C-alpha cells in the first residue's frame, strides 16, 4: 500500500472539487487497491481512488473506455426514466488533469470516482436484501442489453471454464511452487467434474446459449445499499463484458448464499443457504424473466454450481503458481480458499434437485 501523502498527491492529479484531507484504505477487493479520500470544504464530495492492477487488466485504455460506456449508458437510461437521485444510482468517474480517464504516475495507473454518500456494502445479507440484489442484477443486464458499442473483454477468457481448466492443467504440469503433492486429491475432484462444468461453452458453440453484457463480478460486496436497505447501484465494473447470464447469477450466490466465508478455515461453516437462493432467484426471475431464454432459466442450478467450481479452479491455479494473482494474507491462503469453495460446491451439488424444483415452481407461476 502506498503512503497516505502520496495517495493525496495522486488524488490532486484529477479534476476534483475541494481539498483532499485524509486517505483511508477502502473495501476488500482481491485485485485493485482502493482508498477513500475524505474531502474538506462544504458541499464537496468524497472520492474513491483506485490503483488499477495493470498486471491483470493489461489494457487500461480499454478498461476505462468500457467503464465509461457502461456508466454513461446507465446514466442515460436512468435520466430517461426520470429516476430521482441519479448521482447515487450510478458511478461518476473524474478525469485526470490531462483529460484522460486515469492518471499514470510512471509506474501505476490510477482512477478516481465520486464516493456515493450514505451508502454501505455488506459481506453477508439476509433474504430480503438478496431479493433486492436479484432484482438489481436482472435490471443491470436489462439496461445494458441495448448498449450501442461493442464492449471489449478486459480479461480475455475471464469466465470461460474450458480456458480456466487449461490454466489449471498447465499449473499442475509446471508445479512451479512445488505444491502439487499436497493437493492431488483436489485436482482429481476437479477433473472428475470438468466435462459437466464446461457445458456452457459447448451450448454456446452449438448456438443454444447467448452471450449478453454481464457484470461478471457480482460478489455481494459489489452492491451498494442505502441505509434503509434499498439498492443504490452496482460497483466494481472492471469485468463488465459479454458473458453468459450464469456469471452474474452464479457469482452472487457463490458469495451471498455461503454460510461461511470465502476463505473460511473451518469448512464446517460452509454450506449453501437455500433461503438466500430462493430470495435471490425470485428477484432475478422477476426482473430478468422477460428476456431469459428457456435454456438460460433451466440451467440456473448449473450456474450456481459453476461459479464455486470455477473459483476453486482459479484459487488452486494461483496456489500452484505460487500466489501471483490474488492478494493473499498468509502463505496457505489460496489453499484455504480452494478448500472452502470446494466444500461450497459439494453442498450445492446436494441441493441441486431442490433448486430445480424451486425454479420450476416459480416459472409455473
Ligand atoms: C476478484 O476484485 P474482486 O475482489 O471483487 C476476481 C473475481 C473473483 C473474486 C474472488 C478481476 O474480485 O473474479 O471471483 O476476486 N476479479 C478478477 O473473490 O479476477
Ligand atoms: Mg470488488
Amino acid at each position: 500500500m502506498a503512503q497516505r501523502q502520496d495517495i493525496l498527491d495522486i488524488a490532486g492529479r484529477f479534476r476534483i472539487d475541494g481539498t483532499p484531507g485524509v486517505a483511508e484504505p477502502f473495501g476488500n477487493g482481491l485485485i485493485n487497491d482502493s482508498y477513500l479520500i475524505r474531502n474538506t470544504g462544504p458541499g464537496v464530495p468524497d472520492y474513491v481512488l483506485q490503483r488499477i492492477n495493470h498486471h491483470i487488466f493489461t489494457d487500461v485504455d480499454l478498461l476505462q473506455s468500457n467503464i465509461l460506456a457502461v456508466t454513461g449508458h446507465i446514466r442515460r437510461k436512468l435520466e430517461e426514466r426520470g429516476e430521482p437521485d441519479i448521482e447515487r444510482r450510478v458511478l461518476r468517474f473524474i478525469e485526470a488533469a490531462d483529460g484522460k480517464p486515469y492518471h499514470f504516475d510512471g509506474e501505476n495507473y490510477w482512477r478516481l470516482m465520486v464516493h456515493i454518500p450514505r451508502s454501505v456494502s455488506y459481506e453477508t445479507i439476509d433474504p430480503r436484501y438478496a431479493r433486492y440484489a436479484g432484482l438489481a442484477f436482472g435490471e443491470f443486464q436489462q439496461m445494458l442489453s441495448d448498449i450501442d458499442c461493442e464492449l471489449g473483454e478486459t480479461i480475455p477468457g475471464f469466465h470461460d471454464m474450458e480456458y480456466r481448466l487449461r490454466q489449471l492443467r498447465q499449473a499442475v504440469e509446471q508445479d512451479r511452487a512445488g505444491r502439487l503433492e499436497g493437493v492431488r486429491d483436489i485436482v482429481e475432484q476437479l477433473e472428475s467434474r470438468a466435462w459437466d462444468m464446461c457445458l456452457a461453452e459447448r451450448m454456446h458453440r452449438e448456438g443454444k446459449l447467448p452471450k449478453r453484457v454481464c457484470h461478471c463480478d457480482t460478489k455481494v460486496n459489489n452492491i451498494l445499499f442505502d441505509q434503509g436497505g434499498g439498492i443504490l447501484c452496482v460497483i466494481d465494473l472492471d469485468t463488465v463484458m459479454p458473458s453468459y447470464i450464469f456469471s452474474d447469477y452464479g457469482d452472487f450466490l457463490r458469495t451471498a448464499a455461503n454460510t461461511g466465508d470465502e476463505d473460511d478455515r473451518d469448512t464446517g461453516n460452509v454450506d449453501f443457504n437455500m433461503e438466500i437462493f430462493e430470495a435471490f432467484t425470485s428477484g432475478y426471475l422477476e426482473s430478468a424473466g422477460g428476456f431469459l431464454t428457456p435454456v438460460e432459466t433451466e440451467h440456473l442450478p448449473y450456474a450456481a454450481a459453476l461459479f464455486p467450481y470455477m473459483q476453486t479452479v482459479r484459487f488452486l491455479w494461483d496456489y500452484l503458481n505460487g500466489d501471483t494473482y490474488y492478494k493473499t494474507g498468509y502463505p496457505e491462503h489460496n489453499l484455504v480458499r480452494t478448500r472452502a469453495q470446494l466444500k461450497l460446491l459439494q453442498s450445492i451439488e446436494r441441493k441441486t434437485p431442490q433448486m430445480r424444483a424451486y425454479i420450476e415452481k416459480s416459472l409455473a407461476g
Side-chain angles (χ1 to χ4, degrees), residues 12 19 23 141 163 169 188 191 196 263 308 334 354 358 362:
T19 312
Q141 291 172 342
Y163 168 68
R169 286 169 187 152
E188 266 170 40
E191 284 295 353
D196 289 347
D263 58 353
N334 273 319
Q354 270 170 273
Y358 178 81
S362 313

Side-chain angles (χ1 to χ4, degrees), residues 88-103:
R88 289 170 78 220
R89 303 286 312 281
V90 60
L91 294 173
R92 180 183 286 283
F93 288 83
I94 303 295
E95 287 178 352
D98 60 5
K100 283 211 167 126
Y102 56 81
H103 166 66

Side-chain angles (χ1 to χ4, degrees), residues 161-322:
M161 196 59 247
E162 292 174 349
Y163 168 68
R164 293 300 183 186
L165 278 163
R166 283 198 297 279
Q167 282 188 316
L168 175 66
R169 286 169 187 152
Q170 192 182 41
V172 166
E173 218 167 278
Q174 295 175 336
D175 192 18
R176 277 201 211 139
R179 289 168 160 177
L180 179 61
E181 262 331 293
V183 298
R184 280 198 193 276
D185 59 317
I186 306 180
V187 175
E188 266 170 40
Q189 294 226 38
L190 293 172
E191 284 295 353
S192 69
R193 293 161 168 93
W195 171 261
D196 289 347
M197 286 293 142
C198 292
L199 176 64
E201 302 307 328
R202 293 195 297 277
M203 290 196 298
H204 181 64
R205 275 196 295 274
E206 291 162 11
K208 294 180 188 154
L209 179 68
K211 285 198 180 184
R212 306 179 190 275
V213 176
C214 294
H215 181 279
C216 295
D217 191 10
T218 51
K219 283 164 78 163
V220 58
N221 63 13
N222 281 334
I223 303 173
L224 294 187
F225 291 83
D226 69 21
Q227 283 141 333
I231 299 251
L232 289 171
C233 80
V234 179
I235 58 169
D236 206 351
L237 304 173
D238 294 327
T239 53
V240 177
M241 63 177 110
S243 188
Y244 315 121
I245 54 96
F246 302 161
S247 293
D248 292 356
Y249 180 81
D251 220 24
F252 178 83
L253 286 173
R254 182 184 72 78
T255 50
N258 183 352
T259 55
D261 294 331
E262 182 179 69
D263 58 353
D264 218 305
R265 287 174 192 261
D266 180 359
T267 55
N269 293 332
V270 174
D271 194 9
F272 188 68
N273 180 333
M274 284 300 288
E275 265 188 90
I276 298 287
F277 163 82
E278 291 183 4
F280 177 68
T281 302
S282 85
Y284 183 66
L285 287 177
E286 188 174 323
S287 59
F291 63 81
L292 295 180
T293 66
V295 168
E296 288 173 316
T297 41
E298 241 169 67
H299 288 89
L300 291 179
Y302 157 73
L306 176 60
F307 281 83
Y309 177 79
M310 190 183 301
Q311 204 58 63
T312 314
V313 168
R314 293 177 65 197
F315 283 146
L316 186 61
W317 160 76
D318 198 31
Y319 179 69
L320 287 170
N321 281 345

Side-chain angles (χ1 to χ4, degrees), residues 262-267 319 330 332-341:
E262 182 179 69
D263 58 353
D264 218 305
R265 287 174 192 261
D266 180 359
T267 55
Y319 179 69
Y330 52 92
E332 301 292 288
H333 205 162
N334 273 319
L335 179 58
V336 167
R337 289 168 173 154
T338 301
R339 293 212 167 101
Q341 291 295 297

Side-chain angles (χ1 to χ4, degrees), residues 34-49:
S34 307
Y35 301 86
L36 177 63
I37 309 291
R38 292 203 186 277
N39 215 332
T40 54
V44 288
D46 292 338
Y47 296 99
V48 175
L49 179 69

